[in-house]
Each structure stands twice: as C-alpha cells, then as structure tokens.
Amino acid sequence: MYKSRISLVLRHLKLLYLADRAWFYLEKLRNKKANVVFRKNNPGVPLPPDYIMYESFQLDYERFYHGGAGTAKWLVGYLLKYKNKDHLRILDWGCGPGRVVRHLPGILGNGCEYFGTDYNPKSIRWCSDNLKDISFSLNTVEAYLPYPDAYFDFIYGLSIFTHLSGKMHYLWLKELLRVLKHNGILFITTQGDNFKAKLTQAEQEKFEEGGLVVRGKVKEGHRTFSAFHPEKFMEKLFCDVEVLEHIKTKPLTGGYLPQDVWIVQKKRI
C-alpha cells in the first residue's frame, strides 16, 4: 500500500513517466550481467530492443524468452480443452514484441494460422521483421481491429484489460466478440483479489463494492495505466457471453501475484 500511495502522488504530479523511465535504467543495470550471458549462450534468438521488452514485460532476457515459451504451453493447455488444434485462427490481442505468440507455431504446428496485434508501432514493426509464420497488424487504443467478422477461433489477451479504462472494457469486448467466431473462445487475465493488498483504503472500498479501480492520469494502454477487477465487475462485463472458467490462483512464494484467468465463449446467435 505504501508503494501505491507513492504511485498516486507521482501520477498527480505527472511524474510517473519519468519515474518509470528511471526504473527502466535501474532494471537495465540490474539485469545487465545475466542478459549478456543469455545473448552469448543464445546467439540465434532474436530479442526486441530493451525498452520495448521492458514496456511490455520485464527487462530479463531469460524470463522473456523461456518464460514466454512456458506461458505459451500453459495457454495451449487451456486452448486444447475447448478446441481441436487443427485449422485454428489464433489472435494474440496486445501481443507486444511477441513474447508468447512467437512460440505457438512450434507448439501447435503449421496447421493453424497465427496473428498478433498491438497499439505500439515499434513492437509491431519489430515483430513483423523478426518473427515469421505470424501475421502482425497495428491497432490503436480505440476499439477497432482490422479483421472481418467471425474470423478467429481463439483470442487471448494477457494483462491487456489491466491497462484499460472502464468504458474501454466494454468497447473492446464488443470488438473482440465481433471478430470471434460463434462458439469461439476468449481467454483474458485480470488483476483480481490477489491485488487488493496493493490498493489504498479508498480503492479497496470501491473494489469491495464491485467497482473497477483505475489508476490513470497517464496514456491509456501504457504499462503505468492500471486497472483492478473485482468479480462483480467482470460478471457484469461478461453478461452476454458464457463464462466457461474463472481461475484464481493463490499468491506464490517470492511475492508473485498471479492474475485471474477468465475463459469465455461467444454465444451462438
């Protein structure tokens, strides 16, 4: 909660971007030795520029690459519960520099089609130049995707709703459902009950009442824009889809807070 108060003060003073940039350089210095070793041991692994990696994840090459592979396998485990892996169109919504989607062709094979979209033009440019067998496109924070209606079988967004305002939750869900096939699967993660300890008292009260807690005063979609999701809010958001699973994982050792997982299915019209 102490860190949360500092964050709120920095937001109010419009110094959060500056603080985040300073933290980037600290992370760059802290991980320098390990990152040099990773590059030496993995010369054939394409890695995005440091700030692009940091902005979407962490500045840790090992966790970015091998952790991304682990996340991809974890994601596919859920995908195969609901879909046959053949001839699927899969979209990574908010793909960043391709941390997860880059691994999917090697896991699922070439019988599927893979897509990634993000609002950061630098990320999309890097992905398009370096990650083959995947189609990338640029979107904006506004809720529009350059795909036809009912195009995808499976869409996932890992920690994307966590950087959107309440209004954009509803607009983006509508757009995601537009491009999702009937009976298609939407897989997203949110900052649920595990994150209440990070909230101020006033924020906790709003959260307990079922209200979305948003920390803005920065560019929407940026890593410093943060949203926290009580179950009541998510249940209301998903009132027109079928919730297949809501997965809550207890905090892990080392202080890591897992996000909630919501798996929903588009209802047949």
Side-chain angles (χ1 to χ4, degrees):
M1 188 178 292
Y2 178 70
K3 291 182 178 179
S4 297
R5 290 174 179 171
I6 294 176
S7 172
L8 291 175
V9 170
L10 291 173
R11 287 175 195 276
H12 180 72
L13 296 175
K14 298 183 178 181
L15 295 174
L16 195 58
Y17 284 135
L18 183 62
D20 187 62
R21 177 64 71 163
W23 186 254
F24 159 69
Y25 286 111
L26 287 173
E27 286 291 288
K28 188 178 179 73
L29 181 62
R30 186 171 69 89
N31 292 307
K32 181 178 180 180
K33 184 177 180 180
N35 287 345
V36 168
V37 171
F38 181 90
R39 278 199 182 275
K40 181 179 179 180
N41 294 337
N42 301 273
V45 173
L47 294 171
D50 283 352
Y51 189 74
I52 293 178
M53 181 185 296
Y54 167 79
E55 189 176 17
S56 67
F57 181 62
Q58 302 169 10
L59 193 50
D60 182 324
Y61 296 172
E62 176 81 21
R63 295 187 68 183
F64 178 84
Y65 185 71
H66 292 297
T71 298
K73 292 176 182 176
W74 168 78
L75 185 69
V76 167
Y78 284 107
L79 165 61
L80 296 182
K81 287 178 65 174
Y82 300 102
K83 292 290 182 182
N84 185 299
K85 72 175 183 178
D86 295 328
H87 308 298
L88 297 178
R89 284 199 186 110
I90 300 170
L91 174 66
D92 184 335
W93 171 56
C95 64
R99 184 179 73 93
V100 175
V101 72
R102 68 189 294 165
H103 299 285
L104 292 183
I107 298 171
L108 286 172
N110 293 325
C112 299
E113 296 178 66
Y114 305 96
F115 299 79
T117 185
D118 198 89
Y119 87 116
N120 188 328
K122 293 180 180 179
S123 290
I124 292 300
R125 190 178 307 118
W126 184 87
C127 286
S128 298
D129 290 342
N130 293 276
L131 305 179
K132 306 307 177 184
D133 302 320
I134 305 167
S135 299
F136 292 98
S137 63
L138 182 67
N139 61 266
T140 66
V141 176
E142 300 302 319
Y144 173 74
L145 293 171
Y147 306 112
D149 294 354
Y151 193 67
F152 294 104
D153 300 280
F154 185 80
I155 299 174
Y156 65 93
L158 304 179
S159 196
I160 306 303
F161 276 172
T162 55
H163 303 294
L164 295 177
S165 63
K167 176 183 177 181
M168 295 309 294
H169 276 68
Y170 285 92
L171 293 176
W172 266 112
L173 178 61
K174 181 180 179 181
E175 178 64 1
L176 292 169
L177 294 177
R178 179 187 71 80
V179 300
L180 190 64
K181 292 181 181 179
H182 301 308
N183 292 327
I185 302 296
L186 174 63
F187 181 110
I188 69 165
T189 67
T190 61
Q191 296 185 122
D193 287 351
N194 284 342
F195 292 81
K196 287 192 291 185
K198 289 181 170 287
L199 305 179
T200 65
Q201 183 175 347
E203 289 173 334
Q204 287 181 4
E205 291 174 358
K206 182 176 182 179
F207 189 97
E208 294 293 351
E209 293 172 356
L212 182 73
V213 175
V214 175
R215 292 178 179 172
K217 298 185 182 299
V218 290
K219 181 181 178 182
E220 189 164 359
H222 190 264
R223 58 178 277 120
T224 54
F225 190 108
S226 196
F228 302 86
H229 306 80
E231 287 186 42
K232 290 181 181 178
F233 175 84
M234 297 305 298
E235 289 168 354
K236 182 178 179 181
L237 177 68
F238 289 142
C239 65
D240 292 327
V241 296
E242 181 180 356
V243 177
L244 300 177
E245 294 189 60
H246 174 207
I247 303 159
K248 297 190 288 184
T249 304
K250 293 182 179 180
L252 306 178
T253 56
Y256 176 72
L257 300 177
Q259 293 189 8
D260 283 12
V261 172
W262 293 84
I263 305 175
V264 304
Q265 187 170 42
K266 181 177 178 179
K267 293 180 179 178
R268 189 176 287 275
I269 298 177

